[in-house]
């Protein structure tokens, strides 16, 4: 069912990721021009992520008709596998952004999904792939399967470019949302107004840039900074002044320390040091097919690897591990401090996901539980 108008006028808001979920949606990597060796290694990593999340909430994995049987055979039985066409498998960006009824308005049993416009991360102006026709339909298909009403929106927006605290504040980056390859005809103020009326937020905090090397997404916020709860953020970090990431960290921390959230709170900031630096090897680049419409992969490219790209499941943090012993371990400690009471689960092998351009947060999409569906 299509809903007209703006979610905020109808009592909806986007909940924070730590609010209860009814399930998690994940795609299935397949395209050989993005995932090396016909995606076999990425598929292993996706199975590990889906399996880890499924300890805490139901998971649905969507796979193309060509891959359904393989996905079904690789995933544990309790994970639902449904057939869905896609151009690539980043459900954070192509899935719906779910919104729920606003508790204050006693309409908290409602749920709907925003179906943003999508242009393959920048269309013909530096986008990741040229044909995004199937990705454009993913949000709508998910909402059909769930019989959930849909708010269509003409603005280009990937879910990985926004984070909310569920309490009035949105975090994003100018590098992505103001990029001329997304919505060249909208001003910053107009984009802010759309975020306010669709996500139900009162304040948008703009970091200038995302993570160094995150060129596929033009600096998505979900690789750079996220909320742990209202007034508390985690920021991708480096202490190495010679790392090009350093300047980005300084810019971001300056914005975050000189602002308050929608409720006037100063931010407590947890620094999550980046791994490595990590670079794409010759073998990894050579495993990616050049026969397709995806961006070419070049050996020696700095990987946009960040521990901020984790998923908050019901009661657990599902965090990437890159095989960097020092920073992998440190990240799990920082996450445990930032999320007391949560089980922190590190998923090995996430280098394979970052090779494709993202990580755990980018491949997942939480479906919030409408309040009426929650146990008392
Ligand atoms: O990080 C993400 N949200 C996905 C980026 C898409 C990369 C396509 N190669």
């Amino acid at each position: 069912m299509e809903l007209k108008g703006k979610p905020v006028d109808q009592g909806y808001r986007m909940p924070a990721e730590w609010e209860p979920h009814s399930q998690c949606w994940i795609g299935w990597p397949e395209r050989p021009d993005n995932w090396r060796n016909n995606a076999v290694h990425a598929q292993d990593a996706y199975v590990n992520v889906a399996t880890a999340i499924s300890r805490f909430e139901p998971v649905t994995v969507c796979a193309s008709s060509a891959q359904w049987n393989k996905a079904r055979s690789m995933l544990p039985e309790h994970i639902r596998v449904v057939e869905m066409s896609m151009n690539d498998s980043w459900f954070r960006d192509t899935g719906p952004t779910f919104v729920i009824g606003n508790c204050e308005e006693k309409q908290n049993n409602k749920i709907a999904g925003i179906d943003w416009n999508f242009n393959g991360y920048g269309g013909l102006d530096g986008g990741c792939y040229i044909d995004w026709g199937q990705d454009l339909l993913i949000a709508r298909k998910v909402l059909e399967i769930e019989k959930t009403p849909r708010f269509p929106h003409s603005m280009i927006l990937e879910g990985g470019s926004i984070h909310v605290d569920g309490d009035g504040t949105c975090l994003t980056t100018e590098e992505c949302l103001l990029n001329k390859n997304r919505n060249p005809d909208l001003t910053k103020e107009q984009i802010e107004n759309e975020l306010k009326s669709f996500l139900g937020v009162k304040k948008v905090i703009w970091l200038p840039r995302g993570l160094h090397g995150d060129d596929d997404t033009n600096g998505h916020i979900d690789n750079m900074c996220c909320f742990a709860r209202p007034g508390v953020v985690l920021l991708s970090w480096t202490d190495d002044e010679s790392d090009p990431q350093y300047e980005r960290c300084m810019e971001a921390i300056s914005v975050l320390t000189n602002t308050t959230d929608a409720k006037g709170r100063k931010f407590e900031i947890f620094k999550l040091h980046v791994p490595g630096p990590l670079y794409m090897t010759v073998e990894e680049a050579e495993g990616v097919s050049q026969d397709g419409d995806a961006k070419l992969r070049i050996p020696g490219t700095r990987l946009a690897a960040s521990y901020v790209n984790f998923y908050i499941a019901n009661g657990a943090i599902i965090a990437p591990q890159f095989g960097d012993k020092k920073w992998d371990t440190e990240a799990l400690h920082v996450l445990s401090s930032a999320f007391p009471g949560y089980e922190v689960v590190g998923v090995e092998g996430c280098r394979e996901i970052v090779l494709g351009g993202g990580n755990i947060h980018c491949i997942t999409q939480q479906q919030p539980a409408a309040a009426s569906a929650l146990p008392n």
Side-chain angles (χ1 to χ4, degrees):
M1 183 193 17
E2 185 173 318
L3 296 174
K4 304 265 186 253
K6 300 173 174 182
V8 75
D9 294 338
Q10 295 164 52
Y12 288 98
R13 72 179 171 100
M14 180 183 175
E17 199 169 310
W18 53 80
E19 293 183 50
H21 303 170
S22 63
Q23 65 175 317
C24 174
W25 292 83
I26 303 181
W28 184 253
E30 175 177 5
R31 55 183 304 156
D33 60 350
N34 191 60
W35 302 103
R36 73 187 183 110
N37 301 349
N38 290 312
V40 294
H41 314 290
Q43 289 169 356
D44 285 337
Y46 272 56
V47 168
N48 292 341
V49 171
T51 305
I53 296 172
S54 72
R55 285 182 50 217
F56 304 94
E57 62 196 42
V59 174
T60 298
V61 171
C62 301
S64 73
S65 57
Q67 285 284 324
W68 186 90
N69 208 21
K70 183 165 190 214
R72 180 63 284 166
S73 68
M74 288 177 68
L75 287 156
E77 198 56 40
H78 65 275
I79 291 182
R80 175 170 73 154
V81 184
V82 304
E83 185 180 318
M84 195 178 287
S85 308
M86 64 197 75
N87 301 104
D88 206 349
S89 48
W90 307 98
F91 272 38
R92 175 64 48 191
D93 300 327
T94 53
T97 299
F98 286 98
V99 287
I100 58 171
N102 205 333
C103 298
E104 287 156 21
E105 300 183 21
K106 302 208 180 338
Q107 301 181 36
N108 50 358
N109 58 344
K110 299 195 303 191
I111 181 160
I114 305 169
D115 181 3
W116 306 102
N117 202 352
F118 179 77
N119 71 350
Y121 306 94
L124 300 182
D125 182 7
C128 288
Y129 38 91
I130 309 296
D131 177 5
W132 55 82
Q134 292 301 333
D135 278 354
L136 208 45
L137 297 174
I138 289 175
R140 192 167 176 185
K141 289 178 180 173
V142 166
L143 295 169
E144 286 276 339
I145 292 171
E146 292 298 301
K147 295 194 168 85
T148 297
R150 177 177 78 102
F151 282 104
H153 201 310
S154 57
M155 184 166 84
I156 304 270
L157 184 138
E158 303 105 41
S161 68
I162 48 165
H163 264 308
V164 297
D165 69 352
D167 200 25
T169 311
C170 174
L171 265 175
T172 188
T173 63
E174 294 176 350
E175 182 182 358
C176 180
L177 276 200
L178 302 189
N179 199 303
K180 64 176 176 20
N181 65 11
R182 299 301 203 281
N183 297 288
D185 299 329
L186 295 180
T187 64
K188 184 175 186 178
E189 191 187 0
Q190 287 170 324
I191 292 174
E192 253 195 62
N193 288 338
E194 292 309 310
L195 295 176
K196 287 175 180 167
S197 23
F198 273 71
L199 306 177
V201 294
K202 298 262 185 324
K203 180 165 183 177
V204 179
I205 297 175
W206 296 84
L207 300 189
R209 293 185 285 174
L211 199 78
H212 168 68
D214 198 352
D215 301 332
D216 275 15
T217 72
N218 299 117
H220 272 186
I221 192 73
D222 70 349
N223 232 3
M224 183 67 181
C225 187
C226 67
F227 293 103
R229 56 192 166 276
V232 182
V233 294
L234 293 119
L235 178 63
S236 280
W237 192 255
T238 180
D239 290 316
D240 178 359
E241 293 183 27
S242 68
D243 186 333
Q245 177 57 31
Y246 184 78
E247 198 180 286
R248 291 170 178 252
C249 296
M250 292 300 135
E251 282 172 0
I253 204 161
S254 164
V255 171
L256 291 165
T257 49
N258 287 301
T259 192
T260 53
D261 71 8
K263 294 273 171 76
R265 301 174 192 100
K266 295 287 284 178
F267 285 110
E268 180 186 354
I269 302 168
F270 284 86
K271 294 172 179 169
L272 260 181
H273 202 289
V274 295
L278 307 177
Y279 300 92
M280 188 176 289
T281 65
V282 172
E283 185 190 357
E284 287 167 343
E286 282 178 355
V288 180
S289 165
Q290 299 197 6
D291 299 332
D293 70 357
K295 266 186 183 168
L296 290 184
R297 296 295 176 193
I298 299 162
T301 303
R302 171 86 176 262
L303 299 178
S306 157
Y307 298 103
V308 164
N309 211 308
F310 59 83
Y311 177 74
I312 308 178
N314 290 336
I317 303 300
I318 313 299
Q321 298 280 271
F322 297 100
D324 177 331
K325 217 170 174 199
K326 175 180 172 190
W327 293 120
D328 280 0
T329 309
E330 162 82 3
L332 299 182
H333 283 137
V334 175
L335 288 167
S336 300
S337 312
F339 289 96
Y342 283 74
E343 186 174 338
V344 176
V345 181
V347 179
E348 300 295 336
C350 287
R351 182 179 174 99
E352 291 299 334
I353 309 180
V354 80
L355 285 171
N359 226 298
I360 293 178
H361 195 257
C362 309
I363 69 170
T364 51
Q365 184 64 250
Q366 71 279 0
Q367 178 172 340
S372 61
L374 296 174
N376 290 321

